[in-house]
Amino acid sequence: MGFARTCSVALVGVEGVVVEVQADLEPGVAAFTLVGLPDKSLTESKDRVRAAVVNSGAEWPQRKLTVGLSPASVPKAGSGFDLAVACAVLGASERIDPRVLCDIVMIGELGLDGRVRPVRGILPAVLAAAEAGYEQVVVPECAAAEASLVPGVSVLGVRTLRQLIAVLSDEPVPDEEPHEGRPDPLMAGLRMPGTGAATGMHTTGAAQQDQGHDLADVVGQLAARTAVEVAAAGGHHLFLEGPPGAGKTMLAERLPAILPKLGREESLEVTAVHSIAGLLPAGKPLVDVAPYCAPHHSATMQALVGGGQGIARPGAVSLAHRGVLFLDETPEFSGQTLDALRQPLEAGHVVIARSAGVVRFPAKFLMVLAANPCPCGRFSRTDDLCECPPASIRRYQARLSGPLLDRVDLRVEVDRVTRSELTRRGARGEPTATVADRVRSARERSAARLLGTPWRTNSEVPGRELRSRWHASSGALDEAERSLERGVLTARGLDRVLRVAWTIADLVGHDRPDATDVNLALQLRTGVPRGVPMAIGALT
């Protein structure tokens, strides 16, 4: 009879549950039983673990073997339990001292040759282990840098099971050669099949997105450039409407570069989501820049908000957490898919219920919508190039529901670029670096004002707090209140105008919003001219 136990981690969304892996050997016919709500891939670990142990030079016990995963009520999925199962079996057969295994958390998949392969979700798994009080973690060697992001945890990265057996048995550690051949992203555990750039679900950070891109490349579009700057400074959602080729996508692609770098806590949140999704960039375990996610308009609701069979996986709204979610050709998305965004836009997270369990993913993102004004894309109030019937235009624009648009703070018409603007020499707009400096200063002002509160940006502050705790200048809201009375604004819309006004005040250096700031916020939301300059620089 032999018994040993060690620990691993089961992931439910971005949260982890420490699982005790117990191995029990009894006299009887040789058999291997795995209990504790394992899924298909975990059930198959019996064959992987047996082959890995034998190919690592250890003897497989020829007795009745039972491996239990406790707590049994928590669903376990994935191959990350292989390493813990193998060590528990070796402890029960006394190849390893069982006492050494009790306080160690082990995460990793085993190849048939004994190599330790990485799995998704290393960072959130190690975070869960640290919160549970564990101080020693064993992970694949190539994932050690990701695991080391968690403070207070001693991380051991191993290349093979043979190495781990030697370390735990206090024997000389063999020098295993790295895997030779062409590098494979799947071998590195950094990419899931079906999440590449071709699917529209590949995320890039601001640093990658900014290569060769600058705001100065955008010709004209003063109102849209101002809206992009205000959106970045306050975290406000943005809707760009205009004809094809006017620069909507260019503006959205340049938005991540003017966002500030992520703080330590924000970086860990984003890295945890990307680790679970298998989207961590090679050689960069910590995501410290704002992510940018631009799914294709054919994306399903599950691809956008998360889901899938079994345990739900993060969708585009979570992959864009603390970054930008760009929905190009928004009216082409299904109405049901777009309306599913309403809850995460308000709550900052998404809760997905499935038969296998309920998961919660973070989803605080800056949403940018882009749309043509009509099916042909040429509708404009200044010319008659559009040939679409009025009923067709109304149906096309009605694809974006009122409740969704009411949650968008900034709505800007992107005009067609004129010949004179395109051929003019030497009249470029402000570069990304200049705008980014203003955005960073505005964020610092708002952070100082919101110090000691649970909010970080103006877009997160509830309207009741803005009205009762931080007051605008006397008479500044007169025009906004008249718009409310006329039905131009809803009550939620008035709160959003006030949030945008605070962001504009932060950008221009005002202590509190004045009438000019509020009128510019109204103009950016309603599109109705209010007689104020559109350029932020003109207000300073």
Side-chain angles (χ1 to χ4, degrees):
M1 177 179 176
F3 178 83
R5 63 185 177 87
T6 187
C7 293
S8 190
V9 177
L11 290 175
V12 182
V14 292
E15 300 174 351
V17 178
V18 175
V19 174
E20 188 175 75
V21 182
Q22 304 169 340
D24 178 69
L25 283 172
E26 297 284 350
V29 178
F32 188 170
T33 305
L34 184 63
V35 297
L37 281 184
D39 73 339
K40 179 66 173 175
S41 62
L42 182 50
T43 302
E44 292 173 348
S45 70
K46 295 187 292 185
D47 298 319
R48 290 194 301 270
V49 169
R50 182 187 290 109
V53 168
V54 172
N55 290 326
S56 297
E59 182 180 353
W60 184 259
Q62 298 300 317
R63 285 180 284 172
K64 181 181 178 182
L65 170 63
T66 303
V67 173
L69 308 175
S70 178
S73 60
V74 177
K76 291 89 178 174
S79 56
F81 294 86
D82 289 4
L83 198 58
V85 170
C87 288
V89 172
L90 293 173
S93 63
E94 298 184 349
R95 174 64 179 86
I96 300 174
D97 187 350
R99 294 172 296 180
V100 176
L101 302 174
C102 295
D103 298 323
I104 301 178
V105 174
M106 301 184 182
I107 307 164
E109 176 186 331
L110 286 174
L112 299 184
D113 57 355
R115 281 184 298 149
V116 182
R117 301 166 57 135
V119 294
R120 290 174 284 121
I122 290 290
L123 177 60
V126 177
L127 284 170
E131 291 174 359
Y134 290 88
E135 298 179 351
Q136 292 181 297
V137 177
V138 178
V139 298
E141 184 182 57
C142 58
E146 181 183 347
S148 299
L149 296 173
V150 182
V153 175
S154 175
V155 177
L156 172 63
V158 293
R159 190 172 293 167
T160 63
L161 179 61
R162 186 183 291 108
Q163 283 185 333
L164 181 57
I165 294 173
V167 170
L168 297 177
S169 303
D170 200 18
E171 300 172 355
V173 180
D175 185 17
E176 301 284 357
E177 292 294 328
H179 174 68
E180 297 181 357
R182 182 180 177 182
D184 184 351
L186 292 176
M187 290 293 296
L190 299 171
R191 188 69 51 81
M192 279 184 64
T195 55
T199 65
M201 293 302 296
H202 178 62
T203 56
T204 56
Q208 293 85 354
Q209 195 66 27
D210 190 42
Q211 293 179 356
H213 294 79
D214 196 288
L215 267 176
D217 300 333
V218 181
V219 178
Q221 310 301 356
L222 180 59
R225 290 171 58 96
T226 299
V228 166
E229 181 176 348
V230 173
H236 304 287
H237 305 305
L238 172 63
F239 177 37
L240 300 172
E241 184 180 45
K248 302 186 296 294
T249 302
M250 290 181 65
L251 287 163
E253 289 176 344
R254 285 152 179 76
L255 177 54
I258 64 176
L259 290 172
K261 293 192 69 173
L262 301 177
R264 177 70 178 183
E265 183 179 347
E266 295 171 331
S267 295
L268 290 177
E269 291 176 3
V270 174
T271 303
V273 175
H274 284 231
S275 177
I276 290 173
L279 287 173
L280 280 182
K284 188 175 177 60
L286 184 67
V287 180
D288 58 358
V289 294
Y292 173 86
C293 189
H296 190 260
H297 60 75
S298 62
T300 63
M301 184 188 302
Q302 289 76 17
L304 205 59
V305 302
Q309 296 181 349
I311 299 296
R313 297 296 180 190
V317 297
S318 298
L319 296 176
H321 179 60
R322 302 294 182 188
V324 177
L325 175 66
F326 178 45
L327 304 182
D328 199 6
E329 304 294 345
T330 310
E332 303 300 331
F333 284 80
S334 82
Q336 188 179 16
T337 299
L338 290 176
D339 285 338
L341 296 173
R342 286 152 58 177
Q343 186 266 341
L345 284 173
E346 290 290 333
H349 63 264
V350 59
V351 178
I352 305 170
R354 293 290 184 271
S355 59
V358 179
V359 298
R360 181 181 184 272
F361 292 114
K364 290 184 178 179
F365 55 91
L366 194 165
M367 181 178 68
V368 180
L369 308 178
N372 295 328
C374 66
C376 76
R378 294 180 293 180
F379 176 76
S380 174
R381 295 185 179 91
T382 59
D383 55 48
D384 56 356
L385 297 177
C386 176
E387 299 177 355
C388 300
S392 177
I393 296 174
R394 287 194 299 270
R395 283 195 302 270
Y396 188 81
Q397 295 179 349
R399 293 182 183 180
L400 302 183
S401 67
L404 176 64
L405 288 179
D406 198 41
R407 289 166 168 83
V408 178
D409 301 343
L410 308 169
R411 308 176 194 173
V412 178
E413 289 189 9
V414 184
D415 298 323
R416 185 180 293 106
V417 179
T418 64
R419 177 183 176 183
S420 61
E421 290 176 329
L422 195 60
T423 58
R424 187 183 306 161
R425 296 182 180 181
R428 302 184 70 193
E430 291 180 311
T432 294
T434 301
V435 178
D437 287 341
R438 279 204 301 266
V439 169
R440 184 173 58 254
S441 299
R443 287 276 184 121
E444 291 172 355
R445 291 190 187 97
S446 62
R449 183 174 62 254
L450 299 175
L451 188 65
T453 71
W455 312 296
R456 303 183 183 183
T457 59
N458 292 322
S459 62
E460 300 175 9
V461 183
R464 65 179 182 277
E465 295 290 339
L466 288 175
R467 292 190 298 269
S468 61
R469 192 167 176 180
W470 294 288
H471 301 283
S473 301
S474 178
L477 293 175
D478 291 347
E479 187 65 28
E481 291 171 354
R482 283 193 290 270
S483 296
L484 177 64
E485 292 175 356
R486 293 195 300 266
V488 177
L489 291 176
T490 63
R492 180 194 285 132
L494 179 61
D495 289 342
R496 293 187 178 276
V497 166
L498 190 53
R499 294 187 187 116
V500 173
W502 271 104
T503 299
I504 295 171
D506 291 332
L507 281 168
V508 300
H510 295 164
D511 293 333
R512 60 179 62 191
D514 57 19
T516 302
D517 300 329
V518 175
N519 287 339
L520 178 54
L522 272 172
Q523 186 167 325
L524 289 173
R525 181 174 179 83
T526 64
V528 179
R530 306 282 173 172
V532 294
M534 286 301 299
I536 293 297
L539 299 177
T540 56

